[in-house]
């Protein structure tokens, strides 16, 4: 025999204060059944579930029993108890209830889909329920943005490693793991791999180190919905340290150390065709560095099917690179006096642009050959300033090499005591690429050397 389904839902405990408690709903629904002479009814209760979707165990079970032909009527205290989504409400009524001959009753709105009027009112009232839900979301979102603008932690989600959340003050507070976070940055910028850092600091997974290093909240900043706001919490590291770590994390063309135990993996380029090169087992002689154009194992990496690069034994190239790094570690750092000042280039460009705008304004007031000549001259000056700024920015990227300098010092002091992956991480921090053309080896560094500066 079919039964009447009494559906009850609350999303939060606060709704009990508004008369929406489960007990209050049950009382009203059962009173309705007694009034209508309905004897066979069952409760379907979703406690603590939002009405924004249908991912609720009780309503899913009710739908299954409706489709099995066991329900003749669904009764709710109020329409929004069924759903706050217009789409879901109409889906339940049009695609679940009506096709299976199930009437729907909402006591508060006095709606009964057994009548044409009741079916029409469902569409209207569900639209208002959807509007209210969206308004609640908008008010909550606006309030949260304003809270974050004032520097308070938005709450929700996971608290960053190294902090606890103080609900009274609404901010993050450094905890006992804060020193471990600072240690991660220091070790990483010294050239240690994320794997070694994880092992020595007791983290379960290597990728957690990368996640922690990439959290801008460690600098006292709150990132919310893609925007950055100054937070009220105490930073664990300064901005310069964070930016240096991000540059190393984002460095292109660097496979993770865990992916290979080979010292130069990911750095090798063929000097003939420009394709990448890889390690290949070469009998008892060891590994050979071969061009992918000659290897043919990965067609998408082939640049020239007739590449003449015959390759070179890996141990020979590795020895050259290690010797050169040792030489760099022993050499004095290049002088910084001759470096182009990026800020000065910006000032020169800004000055040229201001002058050019003034001349355009004067020219607009009256055609003048002298002004036209001055405009052409200033345009050339502006173009030169733009080129100088671009060059200064490129040079700055290569010169901002404090982490690489630390890696060099590590090589000088304890290279022999490092394992293969740690050596690989140090080499990646220092070398941009290695170009091989048969027996010719060219090493391009990620730092500025005294030789380069002199050149």
């Amino acid at each position: 025999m079919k039964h009447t389904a009494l559906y009850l839902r609350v999303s939060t405990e606060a709704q009990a204060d508004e008369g929406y408690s489960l007990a209050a709903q049950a009382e009203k629904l059962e009173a309705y059944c007694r009034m209508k002479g309905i004897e066979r009814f069952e409760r379907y209760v979703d406690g603590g579930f939002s009405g924004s979707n249908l991912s609720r165990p009780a309503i899913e079970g009710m739908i299954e029993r409706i489709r099995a032909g066991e329900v003749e009527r669904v009764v709710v205290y109020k329409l929004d108890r069924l759903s706050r989504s217009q789409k879901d409400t109409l889906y339940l009524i049009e695609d679940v209830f009506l096709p299976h001959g199930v009437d729907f009753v909402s006591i508060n709105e006095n709606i009964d889909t057994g009548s044409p009027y009741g079916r029409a009112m469902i569409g209207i009232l569900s639209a208002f329920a959807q509007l209210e839900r969206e308004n609640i979301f908008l008010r909550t979102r606006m309030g949260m943005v304003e809270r974050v603008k004032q520097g308070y932690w938005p709450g929700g989600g996971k608290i960053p490693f190294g902090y606890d959340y103080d609900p009274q003050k609404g901010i993050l507070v450094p905890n006992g793991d804060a020193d471990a976070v600072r240690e991660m940055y220091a070790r990483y910028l010294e050239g240690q791999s994320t794997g070694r850092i994880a092992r020595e600091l007791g983290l379960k997974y290597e990728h957690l180190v990368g996640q922690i290093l990439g959290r801008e909240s460690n600098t006292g900043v709150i990132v919310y919905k893609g925007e950055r706001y100054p937070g009220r919490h105490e930073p664990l590291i300064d901005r310069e340290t964070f930016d240096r770590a991000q540059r190393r994390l984002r460095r292109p063309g660097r496979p993770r150390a865990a992916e290979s135990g080979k010292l130069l993996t990911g750095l090798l380029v063929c000097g003939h065709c420009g394709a990448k090169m890889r390690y290949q087992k070469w009998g008892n002689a060891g590994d050979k560095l071969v061009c992918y154009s000659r290897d043919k194992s990965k067609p998408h990496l082939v640049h020239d099917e007739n590449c003449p690069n015959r390759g070179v034994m890996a141990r020979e190239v590795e020895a050259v690179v290690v010797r050169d790094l040792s030489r760099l570690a022993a050499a004095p750092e290049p002088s910084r006096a001759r470096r182009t000042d990026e800020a000065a280039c910006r000032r020169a460009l800004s000055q040229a642009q201001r002058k050019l705008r003034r001349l355009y304004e004067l020219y607009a007031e009256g055609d003048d050959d002298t002004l036209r000549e001055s405009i052409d001259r200033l345009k050339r000056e502006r173009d030169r300033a733009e080129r100088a700024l671009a060059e200064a920015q490129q040079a700055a990227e290569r010169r901002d090499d404090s982490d690489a300098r630390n890696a060099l010092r590590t090589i000088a002091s304890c290279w022999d005591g490092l394992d293969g992956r740690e050596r690989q991480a140090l080499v990646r921090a220092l070398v941009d690429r290695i170009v091989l053309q048969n027996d010719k080896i060219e090493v391009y560094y990620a730092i500025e050397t005294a030789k380069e500066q002199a050149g």
Side-chain angles (χ1 to χ4, degrees):
M1 295 178 63
K2 292 186 177 183
H3 66 272
T4 293
L6 307 182
Y7 181 74
L8 304 82
R9 181 185 68 81
V10 291
S11 57
T12 64
E13 291 298 328
Q15 289 183 339
D17 299 330
E18 303 171 11
Y20 289 170
S21 71
L22 295 176
Q25 292 180 57
E27 181 182 351
K28 292 178 172 63
L29 293 175
E30 291 177 12
Y32 171 85
C33 290
R34 288 192 297 270
M35 182 182 67
K36 294 292 186 179
I38 300 171
E39 297 181 357
R40 289 183 58 82
F41 59 81
E42 292 186 22
R43 294 182 186 177
Y44 295 82
V45 182
D46 278 321
F49 287 88
S50 168
S52 62
N53 58 66
L54 296 179
S55 297
R56 294 170 255 156
I59 203 166
E60 289 174 350
M62 186 178 72
I63 291 172
E64 287 182 8
R65 298 191 69 180
I66 288 172
R67 288 174 172 160
E70 300 175 17
V71 179
E72 64 177 348
R73 180 187 300 107
V74 174
V75 184
V76 297
Y77 166 61
K78 193 175 181 182
L79 184 61
D80 63 8
R81 298 303 86 201
L82 182 70
S83 176
R84 285 186 176 273
S85 165
Q86 178 185 9
K87 179 186 69 174
D88 290 343
T89 301
L90 294 178
Y91 162 75
L92 289 171
I93 294 171
E94 298 291 338
D95 295 341
V96 180
F97 299 166
L98 295 182
H100 293 87
V102 175
D103 291 334
F104 173 69
V105 178
S106 177
I107 297 173
N108 192 73
E109 290 88 2
N110 195 26
I111 292 174
D112 188 338
T113 58
S115 68
Y117 173 78
R119 286 192 292 271
M121 283 299 297
I122 285 293
I124 297 172
L125 292 175
S126 61
F128 280 104
Q130 172 89 357
L131 177 62
E132 175 62 14
R133 173 173 162 269
E134 291 175 354
N135 282 336
I136 291 172
F137 174 79
L138 182 60
R139 290 194 297 269
T140 303
R141 172 80 178 270
M142 291 175 65
M144 189 62 72
V145 170
E146 189 59 36
R147 173 182 174 83
V148 173
K149 282 183 178 179
Q150 295 176 17
Y152 296 102
W153 187 252
K158 295 181 180 179
I159 304 303
F161 184 84
Y163 286 103
D164 290 325
Y165 177 65
D166 185 338
Q168 301 298 322
K169 297 180 180 180
I171 63 173
L172 297 176
V173 179
N175 60 22
D177 293 319
D179 287 338
V181 174
R182 299 185 185 100
E183 183 73 10
M184 286 180 202
Y185 283 95
R187 288 171 177 249
Y188 187 68
L189 294 177
E190 287 173 359
Q192 289 190 17
S193 67
T194 54
R196 178 181 176 183
I197 294 171
R199 289 194 303 273
E200 296 189 357
L201 296 185
L203 272 73
K204 189 173 182 180
Y205 301 109
E206 177 183 346
H207 73 271
L208 293 178
V209 175
Q211 291 178 359
I212 294 169
L213 293 174
R215 287 177 184 157
E216 206 163 350
S217 54
N218 292 331
T219 67
V221 170
I222 298 174
V223 180
Y224 183 72
K225 301 299 182 183
E227 299 292 333
R228 289 167 174 77
Y229 305 92
R232 292 175 179 254
H233 60 281
E234 177 187 337
L236 302 184
I237 55 165
D238 56 55
R239 186 76 204 189
E240 181 184 356
T241 298
F242 178 79
D243 289 341
R244 287 168 53 203
Q246 302 322 294
R247 282 192 292 273
R248 188 179 171 200
L249 285 168
R250 292 194 302 264
R251 183 167 290 171
R254 301 293 193 276
R256 289 167 49 189
E259 294 176 0
S260 169
K262 309 300 184 182
L263 184 65
L264 307 179
T265 295
L267 302 175
L268 303 163
V269 180
C270 174
H272 285 286
C273 69
K276 294 180 179 180
M277 301 183 71
R278 73 177 185 90
Y279 281 75
Q280 185 179 70
K281 184 68 176 175
W282 206 255
N284 295 328
D287 292 321
K288 190 173 186 179
L289 304 178
V290 297
C291 175
Y292 271 111
S293 290
R294 291 174 62 96
D295 181 59
K296 308 294 191 304
S297 62
K298 294 185 178 180
H300 64 284
L301 294 179
V302 173
H303 286 204
D304 180 2
E305 294 183 355
N306 300 312
C307 178
N309 196 344
R310 62 179 180 271
V312 62
M313 297 306 296
R315 63 174 178 273
E316 298 175 10
V317 181
E318 290 175 353
V320 169
V321 172
V322 172
R323 281 199 303 271
D324 209 38
L325 287 174
S326 300
R327 176 188 60 80
L328 286 178
E333 292 189 19
S335 170
R336 312 254 164 170
R338 294 182 55 194
R339 292 181 172 177
T340 307
D341 189 341
E342 183 179 345
C345 291
R346 289 186 184 278
R347 289 193 296 270
L349 177 58
S350 178
Q351 184 178 24
Q353 290 172 332
R354 284 197 304 271
K355 289 180 179 179
L356 196 55
R357 281 196 298 269
R358 287 199 296 268
L359 286 179
Y360 275 128
E361 291 170 359
L362 291 173
Y363 187 74
E365 295 175 3
D367 193 351
D368 186 288
D369 290 340
T370 303
L371 284 176
R372 204 161 38 234
E373 292 174 2
S374 298
I375 288 173
D376 290 340
R377 176 178 55 79
L378 268 175
K379 286 172 68 176
R380 291 191 294 271
E381 184 178 327
R382 179 202 59 192
D383 293 343
R384 286 195 298 271
E386 287 178 344
R387 287 194 297 271
L389 177 60
E391 292 172 359
Q393 289 173 331
Q394 292 175 359
E397 290 180 0
R398 295 178 63 248
R399 295 191 202 110
D400 197 358
D401 53 16
S402 301
D403 52 338
R405 295 288 169 189
N406 289 334
L408 264 183
R409 286 191 284 272
T410 301
I411 284 178
S413 61
C414 57
W415 175 262
D416 292 338
L418 300 178
D419 62 29
R421 290 180 178 177
E422 291 164 346
R423 291 181 176 184
Q424 187 186 52
L426 285 176
V427 170
R428 288 197 179 102
L430 292 162
V431 177
D432 183 67
R433 67 189 186 281
I434 301 169
V435 179
L436 303 179
Q437 190 169 348
N438 295 330
D439 296 330
K440 183 180 179 182
I441 303 171
E442 293 179 295
V443 182
Y444 294 84
Y445 293 99
I447 60 173
E448 184 179 29
T449 65
K451 178 180 178 182
E452 289 174 337
Q453 193 180 64

